[in-house]
Amino acid sequence: MLNHVFHLFISSNEMGNSPPAAAPPPSILPDFNLKKELAKIKKHEVHGVPSQSIIFCKAHILKNKNPDACYLLARIHLGLNYYHPWNMTIAIPHLIMAVDGGNKNALSYLALFYYLGGYQANRRRNAFKTWKYTKPMTVDPIEGYMPLKRDYKKSFEYFSQAAGYSNDGNVYYFLGRHLEYGHGVKKDHSLALENYRISGNLGNEDARKKFCELCVKKDGESVSDDDLKIILLEKNKIHLGYFHIAKIYEARKNYELAILYCDEQLKRNAGLELEDVDNIRKFRRLVEKNISAPSELKSESEVDALKKQVVDLERDVRNLTNLLHQGTVVKPAENFSIAVPVDAVPPPPPY
């Protein structure tokens, strides 16, 4: 009997049924490099959902609430990857965690959520990719929606902090909107103009248009030469752009150019209301009364000389566009406090 048991023991060892070996040590989690992870997602965007990036982010969040991982996970759920579904319930809590942890990139996205509020943010999802204040979706999507109260004071505070961190034209554009309409802050058209100017200098075309629209509402004499150059550059993008320039020249007592721009606006009458055409013609007649010898204006050589002056001005404007990125950046007030109540949104889901 003992021999039989001994032979069974030997046989089991020969067959490899020895006691299990010790488990291997756990693998070390690689460091999180936001720049590299963003590059990976961009490189593999056409191949579908960035599942590996999501797993990697969650691992770092579980380990130490890594703010960069929180930011990237939020961005993935805000349309960073075309194939991944929009989900505010994941994005917003992780943006808050990212900001609380010191990630500066998350400031502007969290600010945009508070600027729009949950309902409008869900309908204007594309704004988080294009940063354009576009028309909302015609259908209210339910998937990924999370209620969030609009809070202009918080959005202004976060945008101001983001402006102090980086020269982002989109941030200055929304600061301009706050100041122009009095959203969460006292209306100040002068500061709104300054923020629109900076945003336009940083390449935001919507801000240049808003800048021009605010400028033409001012008294023509108060429009500086530099501001006029921007308006000349953007005149075709502004409703009644030529007519607004005519008013500026009239205020400067340059009546010949005022009349010339009235005529240019009337030539571009497509889309003009009859009331607009009538107002332009009335204005033109009033300007003519300020010219001592209006018949001289009909001289072909006079008209050609004025047109040459306009061409020279517009050439100067084109040459100056290369200097737009040299605008002075207005830094926000220091010591802004980030005060986002933790219970304002639900905590991130468990992994």
Side-chain angles (χ1 to χ4, degrees):
M1 180 68 178
L2 289 175
N3 288 335
H4 177 68
V5 172
F6 177 77
H7 284 298
L8 285 175
F9 176 75
I10 296 297
S11 300
S12 63
N13 282 334
E14 289 175 350
M15 295 174 63
N17 294 330
S18 57
S27 59
I28 299 174
L29 186 66
D31 292 338
F32 193 93
N33 186 304
L34 180 59
K35 187 175 181 180
K36 288 183 178 179
E37 293 304 314
L38 282 168
K40 286 180 186 177
I41 292 176
K42 185 176 181 180
K43 181 179 179 181
H44 299 292
E45 184 174 8
V46 296
H47 301 303
V49 179
S51 56
Q52 293 301 318
S53 294
I54 292 175
I55 294 171
F56 191 53
C57 287
K58 289 181 177 180
H60 275 276
I61 294 170
L62 279 172
K63 179 182 178 182
N64 57 8
K65 296 183 180 179
N66 184 294
D68 288 348
C70 291
Y71 165 72
L72 183 56
L73 187 64
R75 288 288 311 280
I76 290 172
H77 288 86
L78 293 180
L80 179 63
N81 181 273
Y82 176 79
Y83 295 94
H84 200 74
W86 164 276
N87 195 322
M88 294 167 60
T89 62
I90 295 177
I92 294 175
H94 283 90
L95 285 174
I96 292 175
M97 289 171 62
V99 169
D100 288 345
N103 180 284
K104 305 298 184 183
N105 296 304
L107 285 166
S108 56
Y109 289 91
L110 190 56
L112 187 56
F113 265 118
Y114 280 118
Y115 183 84
L116 295 173
Y119 177 70
Q120 287 298 330
N122 195 47
R123 299 186 71 206
R124 299 176 188 268
R125 298 177 177 187
N126 205 41
F128 290 84
K129 295 178 69 174
T130 65
W131 285 91
K132 291 185 178 294
Y133 198 67
T134 54
K135 293 182 179 180
M137 300 168 65
T138 55
V139 180
D140 295 340
I142 299 175
E143 297 81 4
Y145 170 70
M146 172 185 148
L148 180 72
K149 186 178 179 180
R150 175 180 281 170
D151 192 329
Y152 287 133
K153 287 185 178 180
K154 283 183 181 177
S155 62
F156 182 75
E157 186 174 312
Y158 282 126
F159 275 129
S160 296
Q161 292 179 63
Y165 162 68
S166 65
N167 290 342
D168 186 340
N170 299 317
V171 169
Y172 285 100
Y173 171 73
F174 278 96
L175 283 174
R177 290 186 67 92
H178 278 83
L179 291 159
E180 179 184 359
Y181 299 109
H183 289 163
V185 67
K186 185 179 179 180
K187 278 187 180 181
D188 191 325
H189 281 190
S190 295
L191 280 178
L193 272 173
E194 185 62 26
N195 279 279
Y196 285 143
R197 179 189 286 110
I198 294 170
S199 179
N201 289 348
L202 292 170
N204 189 303
E205 292 187 1
D206 291 335
R208 290 178 189 169
K209 182 179 178 182
K210 294 291 291 182
F211 174 85
C212 295
E213 289 173 351
L214 269 187
C215 261
V216 298
K217 292 179 182 178
K218 296 167 60 179
D219 175 44
E221 289 183 296
S222 64
V223 176
S224 69
D225 289 341
D226 289 337
D227 291 348
L228 177 57
K229 289 171 183 176
I230 297 175
I231 297 171
L232 287 167
L233 181 68
E234 302 292 320
K235 63 185 179 299
N236 290 313
K237 301 176 183 177
I238 311 170
H239 179 60
L240 299 177
Y242 288 81
F243 185 36
H244 289 310
I245 295 172
K247 289 180 178 180
I248 293 172
Y249 278 124
E250 187 274 338
R252 294 180 170 203
K253 296 181 171 52
N254 192 330
Y255 303 123
E256 289 81 4
L257 279 179
I259 290 177
L260 183 62
Y261 272 97
C262 282
D263 293 341
E264 288 299 316
Q265 184 67 77
L266 290 170
K267 290 178 184 177
R268 295 162 171 78
N269 60 4
L272 293 183
E273 300 288 340
L274 290 176
E275 184 180 358
D276 292 332
V277 174
D278 187 49
N279 288 336
I280 295 169
R281 287 173 175 168
K282 285 180 180 178
F283 179 79
R284 189 188 189 286
R285 288 194 291 269
L286 289 173
V287 174
E288 280 186 329
K289 292 180 181 180
N290 292 310
I291 300 176
S292 57
S295 59
E296 294 179 4
L297 187 63
K298 298 178 182 179
S299 166
E300 187 175 344
S301 60
E302 283 282 338
V303 173
D304 289 342
L306 287 171
K307 287 184 176 180
K308 183 180 184 301
Q309 186 177 351
V310 172
V311 170
D312 291 341
L313 279 171
E314 294 184 347
R315 183 198 60 219
D316 292 341
V317 170
R318 286 193 297 271
N319 291 337
L320 286 169
T321 53
N322 293 328
L323 302 176
L324 285 176
H325 290 280
Q326 298 179 11
T328 302
V329 175
V330 177
K331 297 294 183 182
E334 295 181 357
N335 299 324
F336 264 116
S337 60
I338 303 177
V340 181
V342 177
D343 56 354
V345 292
Y351 302 123

